[in-house]
Amino acid sequence: MHLLNLGILAHVDAGKTSLTERLLHSVGVIDEIGRVDDGNTQTDTLALERRRGITIKSAVVSFAIDDVTVNLIDTPGHPDFIAEVERVLGVLDGAVLVVSAVEGVQAQTRVLMRTLQRLRIPTLVFVNKIDRRGADHEGVLRAISERLTPSAVPMGTAGGLGTPGAHFVPGLGPAALDVLADHDDGLLSAYVEGTVSDARLRAALVDGTRQALVHPVYFGSAVTGAGVDELIEGIKELLPAADGDPDGPLSGTVFKVERGPAGEKVAYARMFSGTLRTRDRIPFGDAREDARITAISVFEHGTDVRRDTVPAGRIAKLRGLADIRIGDSLGEPRKAYGQVFAPPTLETVVVPGPGTDGRALHLALTRLAEQDPLIGLRHDEVRRETSVSLYGEVQKEVIQATLADEFGLDVTFRETTPLCIERPAGTGAAAEFIKKDANPFLATVGLRVDPAAPGTGVGFRLEVELGSMPYAFFKAVEDTVRDTLGQGLHGWQVTDCTVTMTHCGYWPRQSHSHQGFDKSMSSTGADFRGLTPLVLVEALRRAGTQVHEPMHRFRVEAPADTLGALLPVLAALRAVPQTTETRGDTCVLEGVVPADRVHELEQRLPGLTRGEGELESAFEHYAPVTHGTLPCRPRTDSNPLNRREYLLNVTRRVGG
């Protein structure tokens, strides 16, 4: 028996969760198919998911197809929960991408397919809802080839479209041969010689699919079951088995963390190598802390069951890892995909409602951030405010409902604002020396800030000898530099720069006879951590920083005769169309728009285009803010921009 960890992905409302239910019914795991509208599906277990009819958290359920054990992971379709999808991608052996036969290829469908192709994850496409009025076989297949993948292989044809009797007729036609021959020289030669057999064609299909070179396309209906048996056969035959040596070194990745009934952390992990046993002590995370596994559950026959071991290839729920975080490695770290999707570009302040305790709210938000590491929390002690970073307005509504349902906390939100960054405008340097210039710290620190290429992050270099002072002091400076750059001259994170240490100095450990260590004459790490922010912000002042706002690339497809109404609105939203293309009665506009205006554009587009407009947008880059008042963000640290205030906060002594 071999294993397959399978993800189901789709644009929201394409029928992904309904397909999951149909698959589980077809293989005998459930006797009755749940409905999203009725709130009784197997994978949407959260009350909020059932109430809203959308998937918010990924869920795992297992079933068998003959000798293949499938761990099926149902993922959210709404773009606001793309972080959930990102975490799942790293543990998949294959995927099924669901497309609606009525709505066709949509914006999120394209984002997902591009990512699956970049990560070379073998993918089947299932065109759902062929029984619905408006279902289109040829048009959707053409859109898949043009907008998703030119290597689409039709696995048959659909008949009776738009009726309850809609059905799928399997069979590889001439179009399949054309696509497969492009990726298989041997098949191309056989085609030219006229010796292509069904077995040879099928072998090329299996090989091309498992290498993620071609993408088989099935048509069907999750509601009626049409085409689902053929899809199940495709999952069994075409997708690769999970690999990994159960006798190798232990290695796994955590892709989900939830809280158990007693508040304990439960980690969902995919094992890539080795075998994990109950009571094993394993290192995990960046700090390589050790913890003992107290319980293991694996997924079998539609539920999770306790086991003493979990071998390579399987997914398990692990208990005992109190400090585990999403993305942590278990045992030997493996090469990660890195961040697949863009980080959140919006932010809002959470406002406690009447009677809501601020401390309880902070704890609840911290727990939510544990489950979604791309939700960044920012706590302002002075104003007693907590901000959260977001992908969109739906995510904000879900956070509000989750706090009410799971924690009994009533909250509202302030207006959503863009999450900007700062980049150095030039080069700046500063230094402070021990016992000079009213420096109250027993440390000498000199730093230079230089701009770096966009997307490179923060680099730290030394222009002083590494042996000129204890390594711990250098580490204190570097760590403090990175922390301090979290809030620049305007309060935003400073990135795309190189910070170079140009001066250093310390007083060695001093002691007096019979009295031991004399702090007043000896440098400590606290001296370097205290002085570094003052030096760094002075270097930033001299370099200057420029605030950049997040920009999304947009693509609007709308009737050509609505262009006159659309363009003024785009201009008012500060959207900049860069290309315009007319295709018959349809016009396609592409350009850039500020991230905080995307939601308004989504809301206004249907009214401007008679409901026929389609918007696709994704984060592309940060652009300098050139309009209006420069956005600033309140500081949450000890404010090294104000020397007197900083020294009062940090040392309780006033320096010059």
Side-chain angles (χ1 to χ4, degrees):
M1 177 174 284
H2 71 252
L3 294 164
L4 168 64
N5 296 299
L6 176 72
I8 294 198
L9 297 85
H11 189 284
V12 67
D13 288 336
K16 174 175 45 59
T17 299
S18 298
L19 177 60
T20 300
E21 291 291 307
R22 174 59 67 176
L23 288 171
L24 295 177
H25 181 267
S26 296
V27 297
V29 170
I30 57 176
D31 296 327
E32 186 176 346
I33 297 175
R35 297 183 70 246
V36 173
D37 292 342
D38 295 340
N40 59 353
T41 60
Q42 292 291 302
T43 52
D44 285 350
T45 56
L46 297 179
L48 183 59
E49 291 178 312
R50 293 181 168 178
R51 195 161 64 242
R52 294 186 65 104
I54 61 172
T55 302
I56 297 169
K57 295 292 182 183
S58 57
V60 182
V61 64
S62 181
F63 59 87
I65 307 174
D66 297 332
D67 63 341
V68 179
T69 296
V70 178
N71 287 324
L72 187 148
I73 308 175
D74 185 17
T75 62
H78 199 284
D80 282 12
F81 308 107
I82 198 68
E84 279 290 315
V85 180
E86 173 166 334
R87 293 192 287 274
V88 167
L89 291 177
V91 305
L92 297 182
D93 304 305
V96 174
L97 182 64
V98 185
V99 178
S100 168
V102 180
E103 289 84 9
V105 173
Q106 296 178 282
Q108 184 72 353
T109 323
R110 298 184 69 191
V111 170
L112 292 169
M113 183 53 123
R114 281 198 299 265
T115 307
L116 289 165
Q117 289 174 307
R118 183 159 61 84
L119 299 180
R120 300 192 66 79
I121 296 175
T123 302
L124 311 181
V125 178
F126 184 75
V127 180
N128 192 24
K129 303 183 181 181
I130 63 170
D131 58 320
R132 297 281 185 90
R133 182 178 299 174
D136 182 359
H137 177 274
E138 294 301 327
V140 172
L141 192 58
R142 185 167 55 253
I144 289 172
S145 297
E146 292 175 355
R147 301 182 63 191
L148 286 186
T149 169
S151 300
V153 178
M155 297 299 291
T157 58
L161 294 176
T163 70
H167 56 278
F168 178 64
V169 181
L172 293 175
L177 179 57
D178 291 343
V179 173
L180 292 170
D182 285 342
H183 299 278
D184 188 320
D185 291 340
L187 182 64
L188 180 60
S189 298
Y191 174 54
V192 171
E193 296 166 3
T195 59
V196 176
S197 65
D198 289 344
R200 181 70 184 84
L201 192 63
R202 202 76 189 181
L205 175 67
V206 172
D207 187 55
T209 304
R210 291 183 177 181
Q211 293 185 59
L213 297 175
V214 301
H215 302 96
V217 180
Y218 297 83
F219 283 77
S221 168
V223 172
T224 67
V228 173
D229 287 343
E230 289 79 8
L231 175 65
I232 290 173
E233 279 301 309
I235 291 171
K236 173 188 170 184
E237 178 190 9
L238 302 178
L239 296 179
D243 58 4
D245 180 6
D247 299 318
L250 187 71
S251 179
T253 298
V254 173
F255 66 93
K256 178 178 177 178
V257 174
E258 64 183 17
R259 292 275 178 172
E264 77 281 13
K265 282 188 179 181
V266 181
Y268 287 65
R270 157 78 189 265
M271 302 307 299
F272 291 95
S273 175
T275 299
L276 183 61
R277 297 171 175 82
T278 305
R279 294 183 292 280
D280 279 355
R281 290 194 70 88
I282 59 167
F284 66 90
D286 295 336
R288 312 309 294 155
E289 302 174 58
D290 276 5
R292 188 183 303 278
I293 301 297
T294 59
I296 295 173
S297 299
V298 298
F299 295 91
E300 293 180 3
H301 307 299
T303 186
D304 56 290
V305 294
R306 287 292 180 97
R307 290 287 183 266
D308 292 328
T309 64
V310 53
R314 297 208 75 151
I315 289 175
K317 291 166 68 172
L318 308 175
R319 287 174 166 81
L321 306 173
D323 297 320
I324 197 73
R325 298 176 305 170
I326 290 170
D328 279 351
S329 295
L330 305 177
E332 282 194 7
R334 65 189 295 272
K335 184 180 179 182
Y337 282 134
Q339 190 159 301
V340 175
F341 300 106
T345 54
L346 303 172
E347 184 178 56
T348 186
V349 173
V350 185
V351 181
T356 297
D357 180 69
R359 287 172 296 183
L361 175 58
H362 184 65
L363 177 61
L365 287 169
T366 301
R367 288 209 171 173
L368 290 183
E370 284 176 356
Q371 299 171 21
D372 190 342
L374 292 185
I375 292 181
L377 293 184
R378 187 172 184 269
H379 190 60
D380 187 337
E381 289 287 353
V382 177
R383 296 167 186 80
R384 298 191 177 279
E385 293 177 348
T386 300
S387 303
V388 295
S389 53
L390 304 164
Y391 279 99
E393 296 298 318
V394 172
Q395 191 179 17
K396 186 163 68 173
E397 295 169 18
V398 167
I399 291 173
Q400 183 179 34
T402 303
L403 290 172
D405 292 351
E406 296 186 16
F407 300 94
L409 300 174
D410 175 31
V411 302
T412 57
F413 297 91
R414 290 191 195 152
E415 183 183 0
T416 303
T417 57
L419 202 51
C420 299
I421 62 169
E422 293 181 50
R423 288 177 172 142
T427 295
E432 295 209 22
F433 300 88
I434 295 178
K435 293 303 180 184
K436 290 184 180 179
D437 303 320
N439 173 10
F441 302 101
L442 297 183
T444 292
V445 174
L447 299 170
R448 185 178 70 248
V449 177
D450 296 294
T456 55
V458 175
F460 183 80
R461 298 191 299 118
L462 297 178
E463 278 186 1
V464 293
E465 292 291 336
L466 188 58
S468 57
M469 67 179 187
Y471 174 75
F473 295 164
F474 285 114
K475 188 74 169 71
V477 172
E478 180 177 358
D479 290 347
T480 307
V481 162
R482 296 186 185 279
D483 287 344
T484 304
L485 289 177
Q487 300 181 77
L489 303 183
H490 303 280
W492 304 104
Q493 181 181 5
V494 181
T495 187
D496 300 334
C497 64
T498 301
V499 179
T500 304
M501 191 169 186
T502 57
H503 299 79
C504 69
Y506 75 108
W507 280 2
R509 185 181 180 91
Q510 302 290 324
S511 61
H512 301 291
S513 300
H514 312 296
Q515 293 182 9
F517 174 55
D518 183 356
K519 165 64 185 79
S520 67
M521 298 290 289
S522 309
S523 298
T524 67
D527 288 302
F528 288 89
R529 286 190 292 272
L531 180 59
T532 297
L534 290 173
V535 177
L536 182 57
V537 297
E538 183 57 33
L540 280 175
R541 269 199 188 103
R542 296 174 183 179
T545 64
Q546 190 168 28
V547 178
H548 291 64
E549 64 180 334
M551 304 293 290
H552 280 226
R553 170 156 290 281
F554 74 86
R555 180 182 186 275
V556 170
E557 189 169 320
D561 62 353
T562 65
L563 193 60
L566 189 57
L567 287 175
V569 173
L570 290 174
L573 296 175
R574 294 194 292 114
V576 181
Q578 295 173 332
T579 63
T580 306
E581 181 183 352
T582 302
R583 302 173 182 170
D585 296 335
T586 301
C587 182
V588 178
L589 289 173
E590 292 191 13
V592 293
V593 60
D596 60 330
R597 301 301 180 96
V598 172
H599 182 62
E600 186 176 350
L601 179 55
E602 286 175 339
Q603 291 181 314
R604 299 188 64 177
L605 187 64
L608 295 168
T609 61
R610 302 190 297 273
E612 298 177 44
E614 179 184 318
L615 171 67
E616 181 180 330
S617 77
F619 170 79
E620 185 179 67
H621 67 281
Y622 288 93
V625 176
T626 57
H627 63 281
T629 305
L630 205 61
C632 292
R633 195 188 199 195
R635 300 192 72 88
T636 61
D637 58 7
S638 299
N639 193 16
L641 292 172
N642 184 322
R643 185 183 184 92
R644 182 181 181 87
E645 177 186 335
Y646 176 81
L647 292 175
L648 279 169
N649 288 329
V650 173
T651 68
R652 300 303 174 189
R653 290 177 285 165
V654 180

